[in-house]
Structures are given as C-alpha cells and as structure tokens.
Amino acid sequence: MHMIDVAALQPLVNELVLAALTALASVVVARACALLKAKRDGELGQILDKTLGMGIAFAMSKLKAMEDANSTLAVRSEVVAEAANYAVLHVPQTVKALGLDGEHLARMIEARLGVADVGAQA
C-alpha cells in the first residue's frame, strides 16, 4: 500500500479556508450594515414625518394669530416656510442625515398640505 503525504498541501488548504471564511464574513457584515441602515433611515423618516406634522401645526397656529393675510398663496407659502424652519430647528441632524435641503422639505410639506400645485393656481 502506498501512502501519499498531504502535509505539504496543509498551508494551501489553510489559506483557502481562511479566504472562504473572510468572504463569508464580509457578506454577513455587508448585509447586517444594509439592514441597520435601512432601519435607521426608516426611523429617521418617521422622526422627520412627525416633526413636519408638528411644524405644519405650529405654522398654522402662528398664521391664525396673524390678522391680515394678503392672499391664499401668501398664506400657504408662509405655512410651508414656517413648517420647514420648524423642522430644521428641531431635528437638524435628521434633516442632514436624510440629505434634505429647504427645497426638499418645502415639497414634502406642500405634499402633506395638498398644495403641491400652488404655483399652477397663481
């Protein structure tokens, strides 16, 4: 009976196993990061949504206190501006983390108010 000495292959087998384990670990870590980012973005979105709603309520109450509103368009513009400012002042990290600017916030608020086509009405 002939014996084959495979001891010389041991370093190669070790390298292959290590490479496979590294690749598997990379895939697992990448998927975990993706899930955590999605969860974080979802939570940030909920925070922003709640804040925008509070901003709109704040802006509406502020506008009700104003006696003279020039026109519906001016009132709506004021509501949008006040709500956006409220969000930026109260959750600036969330706004920044979601990559939003004033224009994005204004469109989101207009959509919630149902006034996205205000410019077309004027």
Side-chain angles (χ1 to χ4, degrees), residues 23 32 44 47-48 50 62 70 76 81 96 107 117:
L44 290 175
I47 291 169
L48 181 62
K50 184 176 180 179
K62 192 170 181 179
N70 295 336
R76 287 180 177 171
K96 183 178 178 183
R107 281 188 267 147
D117 59 344

Side-chain angles (χ1 to χ4, degrees), residues 16-94:
L16 290 174
V17 170
L18 182 61
L21 289 176
T22 302
L24 181 63
S26 296
V27 169
V28 169
V29 168
R31 289 200 180 183
C33 287
L35 289 174
L36 291 175
K37 183 177 181 343
K39 181 179 177 186
R40 180 179 166 262
D41 286 351
E43 290 171 352
L44 290 175
Q46 289 175 352
I47 291 169
L48 181 62
D49 188 52
K50 184 176 180 179
T51 302
L52 289 177
M54 292 170 41
I56 290 170
F58 174 76
M60 295 295 273
S61 69
K62 192 170 181 179
L63 283 175
K64 287 179 183 178
M66 294 172 53
E67 293 179 0
D68 56 338
N70 295 336
S71 68
T72 304
L73 183 59
V75 170
R76 287 180 177 171
S77 295
E78 184 69 23
V79 168
V80 170
E82 286 292 330
N85 287 336
Y86 183 92
V88 169
L89 289 173
H90 288 82
V91 287
Q93 297 88 359
T94 300

Side-chain angles (χ1 to χ4, degrees), residues 8-23:
L9 295 177
Q10 187 64 36
L12 178 62
V13 171
N14 287 346
E15 290 293 324
L16 290 174
V17 170
L18 182 61
L21 289 176
T22 302

Side-chain angles (χ1 to χ4, degrees), residues 92-114:
Q93 297 88 359
T94 300
V95 172
K96 183 178 178 183
L98 291 172
L100 301 174
D101 60 11
E103 186 176 328
H104 286 102
L105 286 173
R107 281 188 267 147
M108 292 172 75
I109 294 164
E110 288 170 350
R112 283 167 178 73
L113 288 172

